[in-house]
Amino acid sequence: GMWLRLGALLYPAAAVEVAPAYRPLRIHAMPHTHADTGYKKTFEGYFQTEVRPILLSMTEALHRDISLRFVWSEVAWLKRWFDGCSSNADELAQARFSKLLADGRVELVDG
């Protein structure tokens, strides 16, 4: 796919053969999300239809696969989630999110 083409572009096989000091390109893809706090919907509209489902599915995926990491921005959503959702699914995901954050598997960036 694209990553192989990018690697071939940056490290062509001929360059590797001529200059063995080149090492294969290692690419790290970091899953993340960006959710506006108000653009086409209200804050609550975004939260219910887009942000909350992302939080629930992301914490479940990271819980199931310990090799995964995630970057989260827009901490306003986290405040809304922790302060205003108390279903069993949310409480479980919030506990998992807190542990993932403490373990360094979720990183908070921006604001």
Side-chain angles (χ1 to χ4, degrees), residues 47-48 52 80-87 90-91 94:
F47 180 78
Q48 292 298 332
R52 183 174 173 266
R80 167 62 183 88
W81 188 41
F82 276 88
D83 288 352
C85 291
S86 59
S87 72
D90 287 297
E91 288 178 356
Q94 290 163 357

Side-chain angles (χ1 to χ4, degrees), residues 16 20 22-23 29 59 79 84 86 89 95 101 103 105 110:
V16 174
Y22 282 106
R23 294 186 311 248
T59 53
K79 178 165 178 36
S86 59
L101 188 61
D103 292 346
R105 293 185 50 214
D110 200 16

Side-chain angles (χ1 to χ4, degrees), residues 3-13 15-16 22-23 25 27:
W3 297 115
L4 293 176
R5 289 192 304 276
L6 178 62
L9 176 67
L10 296 175
Y11 292 94
V16 174
Y22 282 106
R23 294 186 311 248
L25 180 64
I27 297 173

Side-chain angles (χ1 to χ4, degrees), residues 32-103:
H32 73 285
T33 189
H34 170 77
D36 288 313
T37 53
Y39 177 59
K40 293 184 177 183
K41 299 178 186 179
T42 64
F43 183 86
E44 188 63 20
Y46 270 116
F47 180 78
Q48 292 298 332
T49 62
E50 304 195 27
V51 175
R52 183 174 173 266
I54 291 169
L55 288 164
L56 294 173
S57 63
M58 176 266 298
T59 53
E60 178 65 24
L62 269 66
H63 174 73
R64 290 179 182 263
D65 186 343
I66 63 170
S67 71
L68 296 179
R69 307 284 183 271
F70 198 86
V71 173
W72 184 270
S73 61
E74 292 91 15
V75 295
W77 297 120
L78 297 178
K79 178 165 178 36
R80 167 62 183 88
W81 188 41
F82 276 88
D83 288 352
C85 291
S86 59
S87 72
N88 289 342
D90 287 297
E91 288 178 356
L92 177 60
Q94 290 163 357
R96 288 177 174 169
F97 183 90
S98 296
K99 174 135 178 45
L100 292 163
L101 188 61
D103 292 346

